Amino acid sequence: NFQNLGPPLLRWRASMKGPAHGMAFADFIMDTDKRRMWDPQIESVCELYPINDLDAANIAMGFGKYGDCKKLGVGYTLTKAHPIGISPREQLTLCGIQEMQDGSAVIWGTELEEWHNHLMPAGDRQTRAKSHLFSIALVPTGENSFDAEYSLQLDFGGNLPHWMTAPLVLDSVKSMFGVAQPFFETDGSEELKKMIMEDKIQGEKFEDRNSILFTP
């Protein structure tokens, strides 16, 4: 009953091989195709309202105090009905990715309030699930290895008891790590190389961002 919100705060830790890359890891949560590789209940995940002016976001966050904001926006998640009798669920979440100078990254999210429901996509409304807290921290431990810690406080909504839903969440996230590890270690090497190269190009532009943002 963390913060008196009802569901437990669950944490997973894993030591993984490969580069600590926040955007690549986040795809396993935020990209529908990669999400379906480990989550059979997912119907769709989409970024409804991306914030494209990341410089403004970084300034609002104190520019550098919490790393460099690489992605920020409001996302929508829709699940299928579960075989044990759980009806479809939907979520509306503010999410972001912060990258630190030491190569660490934090993927984070929090559920928006009921009074944000006008931001939902058109269609029939489903029972609202809520991620009160969602965070994945990636910390490099070597040239080609990193530790990952996933923290999640998820309320399924409806009248489902938390003791029944917590094991479902535990098994689901374990499956995600099982799919992510081979991607980072070997299978996704070409895709990762491309993402790392794009980061390098953006990193060279970051120096220009610094000079512009700090010019009196």
Side-chain angles (χ1 to χ4, degrees), residues 29-176:
I29 306 293
M30 304 175 182
D31 179 82
T32 299
D33 290 335
K34 282 194 171 66
R35 180 77 171 261
R36 285 175 176 164
M37 294 171 65
W38 60 271
D39 186 356
Q41 298 309 124
I42 201 67
E43 179 66 34
S44 65
V45 183
C46 65
E47 188 178 20
L48 286 178
Y49 306 103
I51 296 175
N52 297 315
D53 190 350
L54 295 180
D55 285 338
N58 274 305
I59 292 172
M61 294 179 189
F63 198 77
K65 183 177 182 181
Y66 304 104
D68 182 32
C69 181
K70 305 294 289 187
K71 196 174 185 66
L72 183 64
V74 174
Y76 175 77
T77 303
L78 178 65
T79 65
K80 303 174 184 176
H82 196 282
I84 68 171
I86 301 175
S87 61
R89 296 297 197 259
E90 63 182 356
Q91 291 185 254
L92 189 67
T93 315
L94 176 66
C95 300
I97 303 173
Q98 306 291 127
E99 292 190 353
M100 316 301 169
Q101 289 187 349
D102 66 354
S104 301
V106 176
I107 306 159
W108 60 272
T110 186
E111 198 75 24
L112 294 183
E113 302 295 338
E114 299 290 342
W115 51 271
H116 292 115
N117 282 356
H118 65 282
L119 298 175
M120 291 278 195
D124 295 334
R125 299 274 62 88
Q126 307 295 334
T127 300
R128 182 82 174 270
K130 293 184 178 181
S131 293
H132 297 300
L133 175 64
F134 157 67
S135 172
I136 302 175
L138 309 178
V139 180
T141 56
E143 292 185 2
N144 197 45
S145 63
F146 64 97
D147 284 345
E149 180 173 297
Y150 191 157
S151 301
L152 178 64
Q153 187 181 25
L154 176 63
D155 189 336
F156 270 66
N159 297 315
L160 295 172
H162 302 306
W163 59 262
M164 186 178 80
T165 57
L168 300 177
V169 178
L170 284 168
D171 290 343
S172 183
V173 175
K174 285 180 182 178
S175 297
M176 184 206 68

